[in-house]
Amino acid sequence: MSKDYYEILGVKKDASADEIKKAFRKLAHQYHPDKGGGDEQKFKEINEAYQVLGNAEKRKQYDQFGQSFSGAGPGGMNWQDFARAQQSGGFDFSQGFQGVNFDFGDIGDIEDLFSGIFGGSFRQSGKNRRSRKGRDIQLELTIDFFEAVFGTKKTITIERDDICTVCQGSGAKPGSKVKTCEQCQGAGQIDTVTRSFFGMVRSTQVCPTCHGDGTVIIEKCSNCHGSGKSKKRENIDVEIPAGADDGVTLKFAGKGDVLTKNGTPGDLYITLRVLPDKRFERHGSDVHQQIKITFSQAALGDKVTINTVDGQVKLKIPAGIASGTVLKLSGQGIPHMNKRGRGDHFVKVIVDVPKTLTRKQKQLLTELRENGL
């Protein structure tokens, strides 16, 4: 049964190139095998669909002939590319693939893309093995309404994995020796040949014995027990910009966990949770408020005192105002985050109808009614 590439990417048949690319990026990140909840087979289908629909000529042929056209093999690469790669002993991405219009930036890392498909770490010719990145840390920080409006500074304490201070990340007891890994002979990686639906594919994987270090510890560090890492408590100053809203995430590069001595630390992500204020309702950078006025204020007009984020101000009520009218105080809302200017303050005026009246009030209202008011 032929595949519907448009359906796989979740786009219409008249979708633009940008819409197709956007859909591919979203799905590729969602189903990447290295991610939690990833789906290797679904990832392959998404990639295959994009290699056709993302190429104007191939898309034209597909629209005309369906999947029977000879545009690309599974994954968007033609068979000649794989044959050449197998004969050369591995995959060389330095020159790209003939006839394939693929933006590797869509995934972010070529090695991640192909290791997700084939279970190995594919080599890029002329480049060293990349350093391994540590785990990112994600936290939530609760602040009040006015701290978000005008910005503030908070100091939080986090606990993260850092380089062991005793062995300096080696994992070995200070003064002891390490030996070269016998399985990879110090390379930190091993070559494997696996059978796939493309045939025999050669790939490079991190050595399972030394985990990429190339050496094996003889006597482990007593502090970190050979991991090269230890827990570290650290105070982080968090600058919250004026205008920050609920759900805003702040990034602190390099403040996540450390995986290995030569690796790159992960990052710290702090998501803000803003407490509401009972007087105001926030919509982006605008503030909304509701006040009640009397019959006489609505009919004759008045000046009333209201609260804003800057404090109390006088609001002019025009004579004859109808209940439900919204008045705007320009530029008296919340500062725009990371740029100049502020939002507006909107006041919804409600004419309060009293449920009970005194005898005199009834008499006065009766006279008004008799006079046509």
Side-chain angles (χ1 to χ4, degrees):
M1 181 182 295
S2 63
K3 298 179 182 178
D4 187 336
Y5 289 149
Y6 291 102
E7 182 178 347
I8 290 174
L9 293 182
V11 297
K12 297 180 180 179
K13 291 190 176 182
D14 59 353
S16 66
D18 286 341
E19 289 173 332
I20 291 173
K21 187 173 184 179
K22 183 178 180 181
F24 166 71
R25 286 181 173 178
K26 179 181 178 181
L27 293 172
H29 282 286
Q30 179 181 352
Y31 291 104
H32 193 286
D34 288 348
K35 292 181 176 290
D39 186 323
E40 180 177 331
Q41 187 58 42
K42 183 71 174 176
F43 182 77
K44 292 177 185 177
E45 289 185 353
I46 293 164
N47 182 40
E48 179 181 341
Y50 180 65
Q51 301 319 306
V52 176
L53 300 186
N55 181 292
E57 185 61 30
K58 291 180 182 179
R59 181 182 181 184
K60 181 178 179 181
Q61 295 178 36
Y62 176 76
D63 290 340
Q64 184 175 0
F65 302 110
Q67 202 195 19
S68 59
F69 86 97
S70 57
M77 302 172 192
N78 59 47
W79 299 101
Q80 291 82 356
D81 292 324
F82 280 93
R84 286 196 297 271
Q86 287 176 251
Q87 292 170 5
S88 63
F91 290 90
D92 182 355
F93 298 110
S94 61
Q95 301 300 321
F97 289 101
Q98 181 180 0
V100 178
N101 179 23
F102 185 85
D103 181 3
F104 285 105
D106 289 334
I107 300 301
D109 190 285
I110 298 173
E111 291 185 20
D112 285 344
L113 168 63
F114 284 91
S115 65
I117 297 176
F118 298 108
S121 175
F122 282 74
R123 232 181 352 226
Q124 298 183 55
S125 77
K127 294 185 178 181
N128 295 326
R129 252 182 4 259
R130 64 174 182 164
S131 61
R132 299 167 68 193
K133 185 177 180 180
R135 182 180 65 91
D136 293 334
I137 298 176
Q138 297 181 338
L139 301 175
E140 288 190 352
L141 176 62
T142 300
I143 59 176
D144 67 37
F145 184 86
F146 283 93
E147 287 177 325
V149 171
F150 296 109
T152 189
K153 182 178 180 180
K154 298 277 189 178
T155 300
I156 65 170
T157 302
I158 64 171
E159 186 176 81
R160 65 191 186 97
D161 290 336
D162 203 356
I163 297 300
C164 175
T165 56
V166 175
C167 66
Q168 302 304 314
S170 68
K173 179 180 179 180
S176 66
K177 296 181 179 181
V178 296
K179 66 178 182 178
T180 301
C181 176
E182 295 179 356
Q183 183 170 358
C184 67
Q185 300 300 311
Q189 57 187 19
I190 57 175
D191 292 333
T192 60
V193 178
T194 57
R195 182 184 299 278
S196 73
F197 51 85
F198 295 112
M200 301 303 293
V201 178
R202 181 180 180 181
S203 63
T204 301
Q205 298 177 326
V206 174
C207 176
T209 300
C210 67
H211 305 291
D213 291 333
T215 57
V216 176
I217 298 170
I218 300 176
E219 292 185 80
K220 295 181 179 180
C221 170
S222 60
N223 184 56
C224 67
H225 306 290
S227 69
K229 302 176 294 184
S230 60
K231 291 294 183 182
K232 175 183 178 182
R233 293 178 66 85
E234 184 175 353
N235 292 330
I236 303 292
D237 291 330
V238 182
E239 292 282 353
I240 298 172
D245 204 350
D246 185 76
V248 166
T249 299
L250 307 176
K251 177 182 177 181
F252 298 81
K255 292 300 182 180
D257 285 339
V258 171
L259 186 62
T260 62
K261 177 177 66 174
N262 297 321
T264 303
D267 301 318
L268 169 65
Y269 293 90
I270 299 178
T271 300
L272 301 180
R273 295 302 174 201
V274 181
L275 297 174
D277 187 279
K278 63 181 180 180
R279 296 166 297 176
F280 308 118
E281 186 176 331
R282 179 173 178 175
H283 296 275
S285 294
D286 295 330
V287 174
H288 290 252
Q289 181 184 21
Q290 183 172 293
I291 64 169
K292 291 183 178 181
I293 61 173
T294 64
F295 274 137
S296 59
Q297 287 175 313
L300 302 174
D302 199 359
K303 281 189 176 180
V304 297
T305 300
I306 66 167
N307 291 307
T308 71
V309 294
D310 294 310
Q312 294 186 334
V313 299
K314 287 288 187 179
L315 175 67
K316 182 179 179 181
I317 305 295
I321 191 170
S323 184
T325 299
V326 177
L327 304 176
K328 183 173 78 171
L329 299 175
S330 298
Q332 295 192 41
I334 298 171
H336 299 302
M337 190 174 73
N338 298 327
K339 64 180 181 179
R340 299 177 63 182
R342 300 176 62 164
D344 302 317
H345 187 113
F346 295 92
V347 181
K348 186 176 184 179
V349 179
I350 302 298
V351 179
D352 191 19
V353 179
K355 292 183 172 59
T356 58
L357 294 170
T358 65
R359 179 179 298 179
K360 181 165 183 149
Q361 288 171 334
K362 288 181 180 179
Q363 181 181 350
L364 291 172
L365 286 173
T366 301
E367 292 178 4
L368 289 173
R369 184 175 62 185
E370 290 174 352
N371 285 277
L373 294 177

